[in-house]
Amino acid sequence: MKIIKTAALSLSLFLVACQGLQGERQGDYYFSPAGAYILDLGINTFRGEVVLDERCDRNGGSTTFWDGSGRLFRVDYLNVENHPMIEAPRFASDLTLLNLSLNSYLREVVAKAPMITSAEASYREFLDDADPKALFAIIGINVDAAKVKDDEAESGTYYYGFMLFKRGDLIYVLQHRQPVLMPEKMKAVLLNLAAGMEIPGRVRDDTDMEKLRRALKKMAPGGTNGDPVRLCEPAQG
């Protein structure tokens, strides 16, 4: 580490479109709020267009990415010292903090989502040969779309992959959704996402924000109603 839409395309057309967009987005980077990380948007993790949504406060932030195949990715960063969801004990080891953070996600985020009827840990592994060391887990969830008014949501079983690691005072939580349980593929996707990150990032300014908006409009032309993103304010302390 340097640190549910669907697309019905033929394989040949998909490959041409994906290669073209990958070339266009070379040199495009996502600068997260609070300077937590920089993500290379040219990594081959994303297929086709990329749209995103940001949420952040003084305790951390979350950015959700959707690519042209309707695949969901999310990168969160949590301030270990102040985050109320973790309630970390003093002098806890990094592995303890990662397990506490994952358990907090299952309890406070996954279990409380209105459309999720059940959630169960299907796989958990500590990647002690990664740099930095990371906790990897897959959670199987059952979704009932009738519980929310969302035309994009579909009922069924999904698998959410989590990869957590700590750098400095922040815990990073990388997430990806897949329709079937494939641990090795899930791990590879999340490791590739992590490899595209540079930590720490830099606190972005108005110029960075404008570049980001232009890059995202280029990646998702015609389908974003003029403003493809929800962005936090430029400076988050």
Side-chain angles (χ1 to χ4, degrees):
M1 296 180 195
K2 283 203 262 181
I3 28 184
I4 289 193
K5 351 182 242 194
T6 58
L9 298 174
S10 70
L11 180 59
S12 60
L13 287 177
F14 171 76
L15 289 173
V16 171
C18 186
Q19 290 168 357
L21 283 166
Q22 289 287 352
E24 290 175 10
R25 75 169 73 134
Q26 287 182 359
D28 290 327
Y29 295 91
Y30 169 68
F31 297 89
S32 81
Y37 64 92
I38 300 170
L39 178 63
D40 181 359
L41 293 174
I43 59 175
N44 59 12
T45 296
F46 300 125
R47 299 172 180 171
E49 66 184 32
V50 178
V51 296
L52 62 83
D53 178 272
E54 288 181 352
R55 311 292 174 92
C56 55
D57 58 31
R58 64 182 181 179
N59 296 317
S62 175
T63 302
T64 303
F65 303 83
W66 295 268
D67 71 6
S69 295
R71 302 188 308 157
L72 178 147
F73 304 85
R74 178 168 150 176
V75 179
D76 294 356
Y77 60 92
L78 314 175
N79 189 318
V80 179
E81 297 296 329
N82 301 318
H83 208 288
M85 191 173 74
I86 302 176
E87 298 182 349
R90 296 183 64 188
F91 310 116
S93 68
D94 287 356
L95 180 56
T96 297
L97 291 173
L98 297 181
N99 274 301
L100 281 173
S101 300
L102 179 60
N103 292 338
S104 295
Y105 267 77
L106 300 184
R107 182 179 63 252
E108 302 295 335
V109 179
V110 176
K112 292 185 177 180
M115 71 173 67
I116 295 178
T117 58
S118 64
E120 181 179 354
S122 303
Y123 189 92
R124 187 182 294 222
E125 177 184 2
F126 182 56
L127 306 179
D128 57 0
D129 57 346
D131 181 22
K133 294 178 173 59
L135 177 63
F136 169 63
I138 300 178
I139 310 302
I141 65 172
N142 291 311
V143 171
D144 182 359
K147 292 182 176 292
V148 296
K149 296 179 179 180
D150 186 349
D151 294 336
E152 296 286 328
E154 295 182 6
S155 298
T157 301
Y158 298 91
Y159 295 90
Y160 274 73
F162 288 80
M163 185 169 290
L164 300 88
F165 57 89
K166 184 175 178 292
R167 274 290 176 89
D169 294 330
L170 297 179
I171 288 178
Y172 295 83
V173 186
L174 281 55
Q175 300 158 65
H176 176 48
R177 181 180 65 202
Q178 292 180 343
V180 294
L181 179 60
M182 297 181 291
E184 291 305 314
K185 182 176 181 180
M186 181 78 80
K187 186 193 304 182
V189 169
L190 290 174
L191 284 172
N192 194 47
L193 184 62
M197 297 171 65
E198 183 177 338
I199 300 173
R202 73 167 190 237
V203 177
R204 62 194 184 189
D205 55 23
D206 290 334
T207 300
D208 293 322
M209 296 283 276
E210 182 57 31
K211 287 181 179 179
L212 176 58
R213 290 181 186 277
R214 289 202 303 266
L216 291 168
K217 287 178 181 178
K218 180 179 67 177
M219 293 176 199
T224 57
N225 298 321
D227 188 357
V229 293
R230 178 205 304 264
L231 295 177
C232 300
E233 293 302 315
Q236 294 287 332

